[in-house]
Amino acid sequence: MKKEILTAAALSAGLLASTAAPSYAEEKTEFKLAWSIYVGWMPWGYLEDSGIMDKWADKYGITVDIVQINDYVESINQYTAGAFDGVSATNMDTLSIPSGGGVDTTALIIGDYSNGNDAVILKGDGSIADLAGKPVNLVELSVSHYLLARGLDSVGLSEADLDSVINTSDADMIAAFTTKDVQAVVTWNPLVSEILASNPDASNVFDSSKIPGEILDLMVVNTETLADNPKFGKAVAGAWYEVMSLMAAGDEAALTAMAEASGTDLEGYKAQLMATEMFYEPADAVAQAMSAQLPVTMTEVAKFLFDKGILGEGAPSPDFVGVAYPDGTVTGDKNNIKFRFDPTYMQLAADGAL
């Protein structure tokens, strides 16, 4: 029943986006980005708090407000409905919610890929195979659900072998794990680190290091907004890579601020970064966008979403949404391109042209 309710909500969000979202085809000077707590997205909060975003926005004669939303899925829903010009999201959730809902969306920044930050956590000793017959709590139909499916598949199991999947907000995950009825959760950092640190009987039985490059962490923006406002793309990319240079240099003031904002200390945040393949250099992010593996990954993600019934209302096949890549190739429907990997602004940063 919970699955049916959430699926209906996702479809409603898509309908809202396609019928109620405002027209973006215009030049403007005020922009809003949404983000939520996650190790690879903490720089967005630092951009706002440090004034670095304001500095770059002033350079281009615009304003860019960066707003933290406590509920990750809600932040994407708000972007999809037109309340924000961009949002921090994974490749999978971008495909399923805004793109699947008809909002043409571009990956402006590829920030990192999860390399252990997303994990399946079991109470007690065991392995991923020991989930058979047990309930699992997660943010249903999110990257956590995808990770669970990939983990189960690695040992010849499927979701049908579980007792149940229980939809649980990321805001409630830590408290849920301490309750007697919860036996396993799937979530992301900093929640993973907190659960493992505060529960001696918790075991990481499968994580995203087993599927490198499949869970990409992005800043995605409305395609028409970006096309009509290149200064927006330049300002955001310039600000982002200024912070990336600070992080790469080990700037303790910046890293400590991000750590505290995420509810941990400097060492705790550094530990989370160890499980994150950050693209500190823009050229590395461009290479990821142009990777031959990316279309393969997105095809697999589309299949997962279609199987779960959340690739857009009435999607007839996994190819329902077209995804465009830098070399001009498209996976999915070429007549319904709603997700684009465009390295233009990352390349400008790499060239020192911002």
Side-chain angles (χ1 to χ4, degrees):
M1 175 58 93
K2 288 185 178 180
K3 179 177 178 180
E4 293 171 355
I5 291 171
L6 189 60
T7 301
L11 295 178
S12 295
L15 287 172
L16 176 62
S18 62
T19 60
S23 172
Y24 290 91
E26 61 180 352
E27 184 176 350
K28 59 182 190 174
T29 59
E30 297 180 356
F31 304 89
K32 290 174 64 179
L33 301 176
W35 72 283
S36 55
I37 295 289
Y38 169 70
V39 54
W41 293 330
M42 297 314 298
W44 294 111
Y46 184 74
L47 279 171
E48 178 74 9
D49 296 339
S50 65
I52 291 175
M53 186 69 258
D54 287 342
K55 181 185 76 173
W56 280 88
D58 288 346
K59 177 179 179 178
Y60 289 101
I62 62 174
T63 62
V64 180
D65 291 328
I66 303 177
V67 181
Q68 180 185 336
I69 306 293
N70 289 331
D71 186 293
Y72 168 59
V73 173
E74 177 61 20
S75 71
I76 305 176
N77 285 338
Q78 288 194 32
Y79 160 75
T80 302
F84 290 91
D85 299 293
V87 65
S88 60
T90 67
N91 52 324
M92 193 191 94
D93 296 325
T94 299
L95 184 59
S96 66
I97 305 176
S99 297
V103 178
D104 196 328
T105 296
T106 293
L108 174 65
I109 300 290
I110 301 179
D112 67 88
Y113 67 75
S114 177
N115 198 28
N117 269 315
D118 297 79
V120 181
I121 304 174
L122 176 69
K123 277 185 180 174
D125 294 329
S127 68
I128 187 77
D130 292 309
L131 293 182
K134 290 183 170 64
V136 178
N137 292 65
L138 48 71
V139 176
E140 197 170 15
L141 310 176
S142 72
V143 291
S144 294
H145 210 150
Y146 177 75
L147 180 69
L148 174 65
R150 296 286 278 115
L152 291 172
D153 184 65
S154 72
V155 291
L157 297 176
S158 71
E159 193 173 318
D161 296 302
L162 306 176
D163 173 78
S164 59
V165 168
I166 302 169
N167 184 42
T168 307
S169 168
D170 53 315
D172 299 327
M173 198 68 68
I174 293 175
F177 193 81
T178 64
T179 64
K180 183 176 66 174
D181 293 338
V182 173
Q183 299 182 45
V185 301
V186 190
T187 190
W188 52 81
N189 266 324
L191 308 182
V192 168
S193 294
E194 290 191 46
I195 290 171
L196 292 175
S198 58
N199 297 274
D201 64 335
S203 300
N204 178 345
V205 295
F206 189 86
D207 63 42
S208 53
S209 67
K210 307 294 196 301
I211 52 169
E214 293 190 31
I215 301 177
L216 295 171
D217 300 311
L218 316 169
M219 173 53 71
V220 300
V221 299
N222 182 278
T223 298
E224 291 184 30
T225 298
L226 182 62
D228 294 331
N229 299 276
K231 292 179 180 179
F232 170 50
K234 290 178 180 179
V236 172
W240 174 261
Y241 286 109
E242 179 172 336
V243 173
M244 288 301 99
S245 67
L246 294 176
M247 295 178 71
D251 187 299
E252 289 205 356
L255 292 170
T256 297
M258 294 180 217
E260 292 175 350
S262 67
T264 186
D265 57 17
L266 179 59
E267 291 310 308
Y269 187 61
K270 286 182 176 179
Q272 293 176 32
L273 285 172
M274 291 292 290
T276 312
E277 188 63 32
M278 295 292 299
F279 297 125
Y280 294 119
E281 296 293 333
D284 293 336
V286 171
Q288 178 64 45
M290 301 180 71
S291 165
Q293 183 60 36
L294 182 56
V296 177
T297 294
M298 292 307 301
T299 298
E300 289 301 313
V301 168
K303 289 178 180 177
F304 170 82
L305 295 173
F306 178 73
D307 289 343
K308 295 297 179 185
I310 55 167
L311 189 58
E313 185 182 21
S317 76
D319 294 327
F320 175 62
V321 178
V323 183
Y325 306 93
D327 64 357
T329 61
V330 175
T331 56
D333 188 350
K334 294 181 180 179
N335 296 314
N336 187 38
I337 297 174
K338 297 298 181 185
F339 191 3
R340 304 167 194 269
F341 287 91
D342 182 356
T344 297
Y345 296 92
M346 297 182 291
Q347 187 65 59
L348 287 173
D351 294 340
L354 293 175

